[in-house]
Amino acid sequence: EETLDIQHNPGEDHGNLVNPRMGVDTLTSSLSGSDDINDDGSSSSGTMTTTTTMTRSGTEKMTLKCISFNCHGLQTNSDYVASLASCADILCLTETWLRPGELPGINALLESRFPTTDFEIFAKSSMEDVSGSHPGRPFGGLAIILKKNPALSISLIECSDRMIACLLKDSNGNDVQVVVNVYMPFYNSSRENSELYVETLDVLQSLFDKYNALCPIKCFGDFNVQLPRKELISDIWYRQQGFSRHSRLMYDFIVANDLTVADFQVKQSVEYTFFCHQRNIFTWIDHVLVNAYDYSSVVKCQIIVPDPDNNSDHLPIECSFTVTALVQSEPHHHDVRQPRVRQPRVPFPRAHWD
């Protein structure tokens, strides 16, 4: 793709030439001034003023920062989540542990911290509203928080308790990016969980089937599997320590859709995203998947190092990437004085009513 930059000189008259690659939305001309018209149809001043309004549109490459984070309960980690939201254009959260009636609390949190910033929030609970105390461990829940951008419009294209996906369009309505936030089922060797993992992959595959040919897709979230970082040397690699059948399912999905694990492509200061110090467990199960052809758009993909303010057992992943959007510039007004064409008044014959 090429971006054509045209510099406009206010003192330079470009006439009505229009670059077809930039496009013109509006081109209007009107007569202005108070020139008197003589009986013969000529102007007493002999000149007229033409005001031309042109609105140009061109492509702009903008960088978006997306942070993916399993927050392990939003209410107990609200300060750290707010700090991530302050510096991210897109924040993908998993395991929010919010009931349906508590979802408005996301907006309340952001409004209290950032009253002058407009956010678009898509959230889904995995629990049910219950009165009184809720027995057992809270679970699930996802959210995508996006800072509103005048150059982009946002629409929800998938929302379930395992996946939320948004489509970004430019000002001309073109699809520019699909952002998916996914929370894959964990592996416990049960058939039911493996079937749920396959079902979730099927929903994800349907998104790729529908949008992969239209625009790039970036998939963030907790995949609950470790993936091989080296070339496979055995057909039963997933039976090795640290992997599972779910690892093979996800790896096959990545290969079939020609995806790249972006967080594997750069050297990380820490090589884990989940940790449990008591059990001495450190695994890399949160990832960022991008189209292989679109990996060049990734500017940065880093695991955020441990922070004392982070109360979760996961580390966030920050991924900055570029998108190309069609944007409209402000209208340009050209006032040009040019000679008025004198045209004699043509007398109409008098009607004879006889």
Side-chain angles (χ1 to χ4, degrees):
E1 297 179 351
E2 292 181 323
T3 301
L4 182 64
D5 296 327
I6 292 183
Q7 296 182 350
H8 172 64
N9 229 333
E12 183 180 354
D13 182 15
H14 294 285
N16 290 331
L17 293 179
V18 177
N19 191 309
R21 296 176 61 186
M22 298 297 291
V24 172
D25 298 310
T26 308
L27 179 60
T28 58
S29 298
S30 61
L31 298 179
S32 64
S34 57
D35 297 335
D36 295 330
I37 306 298
N38 299 328
D39 291 339
D40 60 356
S42 64
S43 168
S44 59
S45 65
T47 61
M48 68 177 180
T49 301
T50 301
T51 301
T52 302
T53 302
M54 300 180 66
T55 303
R56 297 183 181 274
S57 58
T59 57
E60 177 182 324
K61 188 170 289 188
M62 61 186 71
T63 301
L64 301 177
K65 179 193 290 187
C66 180
I67 297 180
S68 173
F69 182 44
N70 182 324
C71 59
H72 205 66
L74 179 61
Q75 294 177 339
T76 59
N77 213 4
S78 58
D79 291 338
Y80 187 66
V81 169
S83 68
L84 296 178
S86 67
C87 62
D89 299 294
I90 306 171
L91 179 59
C92 296
L93 299 177
T94 56
E95 286 208 82
T96 57
W97 295 358
L98 297 176
R99 301 184 182 94
E102 297 171 331
L103 293 178
I106 302 176
N107 187 58
L109 170 66
L110 298 175
E111 284 187 344
S112 65
R113 305 296 179 92
F114 317 107
T116 61
T117 305
D118 290 332
F119 292 94
E120 191 86 23
I121 303 172
F122 302 98
K124 176 68 175 177
S125 174
S126 297
M127 300 189 293
E128 297 179 357
D129 279 320
V130 293
S131 58
S133 60
H134 179 71
R137 177 184 181 276
F139 58 92
L142 303 97
I144 296 184
I145 302 170
L146 307 98
K147 285 180 181 173
K148 290 186 178 180
N149 188 322
L152 298 172
S153 62
I154 308 160
S155 59
L156 184 67
I157 57 176
E158 174 63 33
C159 186
S160 67
D161 59 354
R162 288 287 175 182
M163 192 180 312
I164 296 180
C166 295
L167 174 63
L168 307 184
K169 292 176 176 283
D170 62 18
S171 57
N172 207 38
N174 299 311
D175 302 338
V176 297
Q177 183 70 62
V178 170
V179 175
V180 183
N181 183 26
V182 65
Y183 177 48
M184 299 298 295
F186 65 92
Y187 179 75
N188 63 359
S189 71
S190 70
R191 182 172 182 175
E192 291 76 17
N193 252 34
S194 292
E195 289 177 350
L196 181 58
Y197 202 94
V198 171
E199 290 174 5
T200 308
L201 274 181
D202 286 343
V203 176
L204 188 58
Q205 183 63 59
S206 67
L207 286 175
F208 275 83
D209 291 342
K210 184 174 182 178
Y211 293 98
N212 207 21
L214 302 177
C215 63
I217 301 175
K218 291 181 175 62
C219 190
F220 304 85
D222 183 352
F223 292 80
N224 261 317
V225 292
Q226 295 197 100
L227 295 170
R229 284 179 270 171
K230 300 179 181 179
E231 292 185 7
L232 302 180
I233 58 176
S234 171
D235 292 338
I236 56 173
W237 61 270
Y238 59 92
R239 297 182 183 177
Q240 299 175 15
Q241 184 177 4
F243 301 116
S244 66
R245 290 197 301 270
H246 290 186
S247 299
R248 185 187 66 175
L249 290 171
M250 180 56 67
Y251 178 80
D252 290 345
F253 172 83
I254 292 171
V255 172
N257 289 279
D258 195 20
L259 303 178
T260 296
V261 185
D263 42 295
F264 282 175
Q265 308 307 312
V266 294
K267 183 175 177 57
Q268 303 288 349
S269 56
V270 291
E271 295 189 345
Y272 63 90
T273 61
F274 170 80
F275 57 92
C276 179
H277 294 289
Q278 294 178 346
R279 299 165 56 192
N280 196 31
I281 296 177
F282 300 86
T283 56
W284 195 335
I285 60 176
D286 302 85
H287 302 287
V288 178
L289 305 183
V290 303
N291 301 103
Y293 75 85
D294 188 52
Y295 177 70
S296 59
S297 71
V298 177
V299 179
K300 176 183 180 182
C301 191
Q302 293 286 336
I303 300 173
I304 299 178
V305 298
D307 189 310
D309 293 331
N310 181 7
N311 297 323
S312 174
D313 53 4
H314 285 251
L315 298 178
I317 297 181
E318 173 188 335
C319 179
S320 297
F321 57 92
T322 60
V323 297
T324 301
L326 187 68
V327 295
Q328 295 181 353
S329 60
E330 294 297 324
H332 301 281
H333 301 279
H334 305 278
D335 292 333
V336 181
R337 302 284 292 183
Q338 48 185 298
R340 181 184 297 276
V341 179
R342 295 190 178 187
Q343 295 181 349
R345 179 174 297 173
V346 180
F348 286 92
R350 181 174 298 180
H352 299 282
W353 302 107
D354 296 338

